[in-house]
Amino acid sequence: MYKRLSIRQKQITWAWAFLAIPVIFYVVIRFYPTGNAMLISFQEWNLLGDRAWIGLANYAKLWNDPVFWQVFRNTFVYLLLGTPISLVLSFFVAYHLDKIRFMHGFIRMLYFLPFMTSAVAMAWVWRWLYQPVPIGLFNNTLAEFGIPQIDFLRSTTNALPAILAPAVWAGLGFQIIIFMAGLRAIPQSYYEAAHIDGVSKWTVLFEITIPLLRPTVVFLTVFSSIGFLRIFDQVYNMTTNDPGGPLNSTKPMVLMIYQSAFTDFEMGYAAAQTVVLFVILLLVSLLQLYLLRDR
């Protein structure tokens, strides 16, 4: 039968044969677990016994759970603070680093190094920096100037910003590299024409550079937002004695899902939280793509 096919038909057959590999991969690795999680969210299951269908009971429990709303708020605080701060800082560094020629590659490597560092190791180093006197570097420095020490990780007001800082710092290198690639992609003819016309640097920045970086900004905004909505490593490792911080002040949704599944063994409840997080990720990404689209 294959021999009877035309050359065009054979090409299509081979194309679909090669496409079948990634399609099967995504069905088995991505789509099936996603669909199974949605199914489990309507069931009660403790990993060992049989599954029992309970309908929307897990979602009703989630709606009436005050801890969930605290976690929901924390997750969006990570998003609404972390994304703009990381984008502004990375653009500021990339914009000025792009103009440096002396040791440019070495400096760029230093900024990118935290992104390649293990998140667990980095979190424990920052945890050590935040410790009280005489261990923590930050509080020791404050003590040298006679400033009272700060309870970074055991305060309901300081813990979340203290965890957000290393999370922003860890992703800064990647965003700087992407911003620099976007800056290098802008044709120099725009800047030459602006220089001939005597346009100020601020006008060039806001009328040429930033508008032409829109695709880069869109990509980094969505990428960074997904990262902050799924933040876990920094929170879990910096608050291991009390996961989620004092009064759940730093607990994000991913940590709540982890605890519900592998501490409380409520797989149905954890699956319901996963579905909610998936919907949030989808809506936030679509909203950002809509707001930042080219008009």
Side-chain angles (χ1 to χ4, degrees), residues 169-217:
W169 176 75
L172 211 59
F174 175 79
Q175 296 182 4
I176 289 172
I177 297 299
I178 299 301
F179 265 128
M180 290 188 65
L183 289 169
R184 299 263 172 116
I186 298 176
Q188 290 299 313
S189 58
Y190 291 105
Y191 297 113
E192 293 170 358
H195 179 71
I196 293 173
D197 292 339
V199 178
S200 66
K201 292 183 178 180
W202 287 106
T203 303
V204 170
L205 176 62
F206 288 103
E207 298 296 333
I208 296 177
T209 303
I210 294 179
L212 292 178
L213 280 176
R214 178 180 292 272
T216 304
V217 173

Side-chain angles (χ1 to χ4, degrees), residues 159-172:
L160 194 147
I163 290 175
L164 184 63
V168 170
W169 176 75
L172 211 59

Side-chain angles (χ1 to χ4, degrees), residues 87-113:
L87 288 176
V88 171
L89 286 177
S90 58
F91 173 74
F92 178 82
V93 174
Y95 181 77
H96 290 87
L97 183 59
D98 188 55
K99 302 180 184 301
I100 296 176
R101 294 295 174 262
F102 178 70
M103 298 182 68
H104 173 84
F106 179 73
I107 297 174
R108 186 170 58 180
M109 180 271 294
L110 289 179
Y111 277 108
F112 192 70
L113 194 61

Side-chain angles (χ1 to χ4, degrees), residues 256-267 269-270 273:
M256 185 178 180
I257 293 170
Y258 172 82
Q259 291 177 332
S260 297
F262 302 110
T263 302
D264 302 330
F265 297 103
E266 297 179 345
M267 297 303 297
Y269 192 44
Q273 298 167 30

Side-chain angles (χ1 to χ4, degrees), residues 7-289:
I7 295 178
R8 178 62 177 170
Q9 290 173 330
K10 289 180 180 179
Q11 290 176 339
I12 295 174
T13 302
W14 278 107
W16 279 108
F18 283 111
L19 286 173
I21 297 175
V23 168
I24 293 174
F25 172 82
Y26 271 96
V27 168
V28 175
I29 303 299
R30 298 285 187 181
F31 298 148
Y32 172 74
T34 302
N36 193 37
M38 292 181 178
L39 179 63
I40 295 174
S41 69
F42 298 103
Q43 299 174 337
E44 185 179 19
W45 184 39
N46 63 359
L47 279 176
L48 298 177
D50 296 331
R51 302 183 186 183
W53 185 268
I54 58 175
L56 296 174
N58 286 320
Y59 292 98
K61 179 180 177 181
L62 202 61
W63 180 265
N64 296 309
D65 188 353
V67 175
F68 167 74
W69 292 109
Q70 174 66 35
V71 169
F72 185 86
R73 173 186 170 276
N74 293 341
T75 303
F76 271 88
V77 170
Y78 285 120
L79 169 69
L80 297 176
L81 290 181
T83 300
I85 291 174
S86 62
L87 288 176
V88 171
L89 286 177
S90 58
F91 173 74
F92 178 82
V93 174
Y95 181 77
H96 290 87
L97 183 59
D98 188 55
K99 302 180 184 301
I100 296 176
R101 294 295 174 262
F102 178 70
M103 298 182 68
H104 173 84
F106 179 73
I107 297 174
R108 186 170 58 180
M109 180 271 294
L110 289 179
Y111 277 108
F112 192 70
L113 194 61
F115 183 75
M116 301 177 61
T117 305
S118 167
V120 175
M122 180 198 65
W124 278 90
V125 169
W126 277 83
R127 179 176 177 171
W128 168 73
L129 294 174
Y130 284 141
Q131 293 302 303
V133 175
I135 300 174
L137 177 63
F138 293 154
N139 277 315
N140 279 329
T141 303
L142 294 176
E144 289 291 331
F145 294 95
I147 302 174
Q149 67 175 8
I150 299 175
D151 197 359
F152 288 101
L153 298 177
R154 298 299 304 168
S155 167
T156 56
T157 56
N158 297 331
L160 194 147
I163 290 175
L164 184 63
V168 170
W169 176 75
L172 211 59
F174 175 79
Q175 296 182 4
I176 289 172
I177 297 299
I178 299 301
F179 265 128
M180 290 188 65
L183 289 169
R184 299 263 172 116
I186 298 176
Q188 290 299 313
S189 58
Y190 291 105
Y191 297 113
E192 293 170 358
H195 179 71
I196 293 173
D197 292 339
V199 178
S200 66
K201 292 183 178 180
W202 287 106
T203 303
V204 170
L205 176 62
F206 288 103
E207 298 296 333
I208 296 177
T209 303
I210 294 179
L212 292 178
L213 280 176
R214 178 180 292 272
T216 304
V217 173
V218 171
F219 167 74
L220 287 178
T221 300
V222 175
F223 182 86
S224 177
S225 298
I226 293 174
F228 283 110
L229 284 172
R230 299 192 309 171
I231 188 172
F232 173 80
D233 296 332
Q234 289 84 2
V235 181
Y236 183 76
N237 287 281
M238 293 178 70
T239 61
T240 50
N241 295 334
D242 182 17
L247 300 178
N248 298 309
S249 58
T250 66
K251 183 182 292 186
M253 287 195 67
V254 177
L255 179 56
M256 185 178 180
I257 293 170
Y258 172 82
Q259 291 177 332
S260 297
F262 302 110
T263 302
D264 302 330
F265 297 103
E266 297 179 345
M267 297 303 297
Y269 192 44
Q273 298 167 30
T274 303
V275 173
V276 171
L277 179 60
F278 169 76
V279 173
I280 292 173
L281 286 168
L282 180 63
L283 293 178
V284 168
S285 300
L286 291 177
L287 179 62
Q288 290 173 338
L289 291 173

